[in-house]
Amino acid sequence: MKLIGPFKQVVTLANLPLRGKLSDEQLEIITDGGILVNDNKIQSVGNFEELKSENQNIEIESIEGEQIVLPAFVDSHTHICFGGNRANDFAMRNAGKTYLEIAESGGGIWSSVQHTRKASEEELLKTLLERIDFLISLGITTIEVKSGYGLDVENELKMLRMIKKAQEQTKATLVPTCLSAHLKPRDFEGSNQEYLHYIITEILPKVKEENLAKRVDIFIEKSAFQPEESKDFLLKTKDLGFEITVHADQFTPGSSRIAVEVGAKSADHLEATIDEDIEFLAQSNTVATALPGASLGLGEKFTPARKLLDAGAILAIASDWNPGSAPMGNLITQASILATFEKLTTTEVLAGMTFRSAFALGLEDRGRLQNGLKADFVTFKTNNFQNVLYNQGSLNAENIYIDGNKI
């Protein structure tokens, strides 16, 4: 066993509810605290001196200076396996070009598909690991990673294999998701329904055979896949044994309702979600995932996070790091800005980036500092945990621990 501390503040997030609004008065803060770690898990959290006196002859890892500690963050929605760059898309969008105009000039998702197909496995793996390392440096130790820039058997499998290989080379937890249903590729000769059938019959059996992903995603939108064909696809993927998640309500409403109806783990985006569907989400166990990076990248409105929480929904906050609409990748900055516009409490933001986001990935063994959970946590050199969000991402993480070990 090992005792780590003392910390000026240990912010445990223990005993907070999974759903609904949270006040900062509900937050457990242990002053002069320590974390006792045993076999990669948290054994106990409490006053450092008391833990030290109760556990004789154990290793002590001393924390120098004033530091606070939080559960490590969880980024439950990223597209960080990709080739190429879409800086020109950003410039064109800011110059007033529409999504369609950008796509017609060679930009958009199809641009990333072409770059990713051309990229070698070595190139994809190298850049993926670099992005993972950046996220870890922010204190993010659990990262969902989607495919979706291959859009055929060969290249979707190439992406997912590189995500699997990256897992072998990083201490972070990677959660791969098959997003072959990102959009119908331009070189596919057939209808949307025929392409979705191609995914079901040609791609997913190989994904399952190689154990490359246990989750499947689809982008339901006018420019991608329509509601009824998407619902049919999601039900079929569930029958194959996959968990499902949905890109929902980004530009037009209605698809979050489908996510709930098919039992999706999460409905992500939700910038266009209407009030009646907010209530529908709130009555379900489908996590509502806000992606403020996409709102910032596209200049669109934010997910109605305040309304979702007030209605009793489970709100997660993720980065959506991708080469097009959300190139920043800094979850802490994005969440801090979302909090400002949506009037979220500090506790709601921290919960949205930790145990609530972990729940969206089916991981209930992390996201809080309490007995029996995975010993992933992050420290910041400050005497007040509020400074993490107050500084909007400019207060760098001091130390990152995975399984109780500093990395």
Side-chain angles (χ1 to χ4, degrees), residues 58 129 153 195 227 231 240 278 315 332:
I58 60 169
L129 287 168
V153 172
Y195 177 64
K231 186 174 183 179
L240 290 174
I278 288 174
L315 181 81
I332 318 306

Side-chain angles (χ1 to χ4, degrees), residues 334-395:
Q334 296 169 12
S336 302
I337 293 170
L338 178 70
T340 302
F341 280 87
E342 284 293 308
K343 300 301 177 232
L344 307 181
T345 67
T346 298
T347 306
E348 288 168 340
V349 175
L350 294 177
M353 296 190 295
T354 54
F355 67 92
R356 288 177 169 180
S357 206
F359 183 79
L361 299 177
L363 299 172
E364 297 179 54
D365 64 340
R366 66 198 68 198
R368 307 178 197 255
L369 301 180
Q370 63 186 61
N371 181 31
L373 297 190
K374 193 174 189 293
D376 285 12
F377 41 91
V378 55
T379 79
F380 292 87
K381 210 168 200 176
T382 179
N383 61 6
N384 178 6
F385 76 96
Q386 293 172 317
N387 284 326
V388 175
L389 298 184
Y390 167 66
N391 283 279
Q392 297 181 316
S394 63
L395 179 64

Side-chain angles (χ1 to χ4, degrees), residues 85-118:
N85 175 289
R86 279 161 62 189
N88 192 50
D89 283 25
F90 184 74
M92 291 177 69
R93 191 160 49 242
N94 290 347
K97 299 294 184 184
T98 66
Y99 183 91
L100 185 59
E101 288 171 332
I102 292 169
E104 287 175 345
S105 68
I109 292 172
W110 184 243
S111 170
S112 291
V113 171
Q114 290 175 300
H115 282 114
T116 303
R117 286 180 176 181
K118 289 175 185 174

